[in-house]
């Protein structure tokens, strides 16, 4: 949803020459993909769709080794590298993502909030993932990815950092002009994250008591962009273990408890 609204802003408001980029690790929500197809078709922009099985064994290793590493954090490293690699390959000077103000923040503040999750991620990558030859060069963090591509001088930003946070208005525009439809099942509410996201949320809540979405919402509350009650409503879980195991079955895994 947030990325699609970025696409809309870049094309309609700022009239930039846009290449829409979708990455799919095999667990992308089909309803989300339908929204993307509608958006790129309506806006008339070029679209690069990248699908890969590269992350499937990574997710399986997190489950089978009972690692504390949040799946979403490890995946974020992968798709950040993929995005910068794509921008570098096509000499694209700017990556525009759907990050909210709750996903920006001061660097030191972010490091403190994500410290335990980041430590678990680094431990998983160094002790488990890199023992597999296929993932020998897997970066330890998104910061490491940025260092790798520093010479490319690619700028990454989000229009949501500069615009007033108004999710109702965004959804109205997307529905009216791009035929956007909210998926039947989502977390947080009204989002269009992949289905493996549900597993990541469950595991992270069980291991840490909160997720990166809770950190994001907390920042939005402090910035006056969201009320606590609104955040709690968005963070209500609407999925069960039966659904989670149906997702994990695709990588030959299941929840142990």
């Amino acid at each position: 949803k947030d990325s699609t609204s970025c696409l809309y802003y870049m094309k309609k408001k700022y009239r930039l020459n846009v290449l829409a980029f979708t990455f799919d690790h095999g667990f992308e929500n089909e309803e989300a993909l339908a929204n993307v197809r509608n958006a790129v078709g309506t806006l008339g922009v070029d679209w690069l769709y990248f699908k890969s099985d590269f992350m499937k064994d990574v997710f399986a290793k997190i489950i089978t080794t009972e690692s504390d590493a949040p799946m979403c954090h490890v995946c974020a490293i992968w798709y950040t590298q993929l995005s910068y690699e794509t921008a570098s390959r096509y000499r694209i000077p700017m990556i525009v993502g759907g990050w909210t103000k709750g996903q920006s923040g001061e660097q030191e503040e972010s490091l403190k909030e994500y410290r335990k999750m980041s430590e678990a991620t680094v431990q998983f990558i160094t002790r488990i993932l890199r023992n597999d030859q296929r993932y020998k060069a897997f970066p330890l963090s998104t910061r490491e990815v940025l260092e790798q591509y520093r010479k490319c001088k690619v700028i990454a930003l989000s229009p949501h950092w500069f615009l007033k946070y108004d999710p109702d208005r965004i959804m109205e525009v997307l529905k009216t002009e791009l035929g956007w439809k909210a998926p039947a099942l989502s977390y947080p509410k009204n989002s269009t994250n992949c289905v493996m996201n549900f597993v990541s949320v469950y595991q992270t809540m069980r291991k840490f008591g909160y997720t990166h979405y809770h950190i994001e919402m907390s920042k939005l509350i402090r910035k006056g962009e969201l009320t606590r009650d609104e955040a709690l409503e968005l963070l209500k879980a609407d999925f069960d273990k039966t659904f989670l195991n149906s997702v994990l079955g695709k990588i030959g895994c299941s929840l142990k408890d």
Side-chain angles (χ1 to χ4, degrees), residues 16-128:
L16 296 182
N17 183 24
V18 178
L19 172 65
F21 178 51
T22 301
F23 51 85
D24 181 1
H25 45 40
F27 297 93
E28 190 52 77
N29 188 314
E30 287 300 323
E31 294 163 296
L33 288 176
N35 284 329
V36 175
R37 293 188 190 96
N38 286 337
V40 296
T42 301
L43 293 171
V45 299
D46 292 339
W47 180 33
L48 181 61
Y49 174 55
F50 182 91
K51 186 170 183 177
S52 171
D53 288 338
F54 183 75
M55 290 298 292
K56 286 188 175 181
D57 283 342
V58 176
F59 295 145
K61 289 178 188 296
I62 292 175
I63 296 296
T64 57
T65 62
E66 299 185 39
S67 170
D68 289 347
M71 287 178 162
C72 288
H73 282 218
V74 180
C75 185
I77 295 172
W78 169 71
Y79 73 66
T80 299
Q81 184 179 52
L82 181 61
S83 299
Y84 273 84
E85 179 184 322
T86 303
S88 175
R89 179 179 301 172
Y90 294 105
R91 297 184 180 179
I92 296 171
M94 184 185 300
I95 296 173
V96 181
W99 307 294
T100 69
K101 292 178 184 177
Q103 293 169 312
S104 57
E106 293 76 13
Q107 186 63 31
E108 288 305 314
E109 176 188 8
S110 296
L111 285 174
K112 291 177 182 178
E113 290 171 325
Y114 291 107
R115 180 170 294 157
K116 288 189 178 297
M117 293 182 185
S118 298
E119 288 173 352
T121 299
V122 170
Q123 187 177 74
F124 167 73
I125 294 171
T126 54
R127 296 185 181 181
I128 298 172

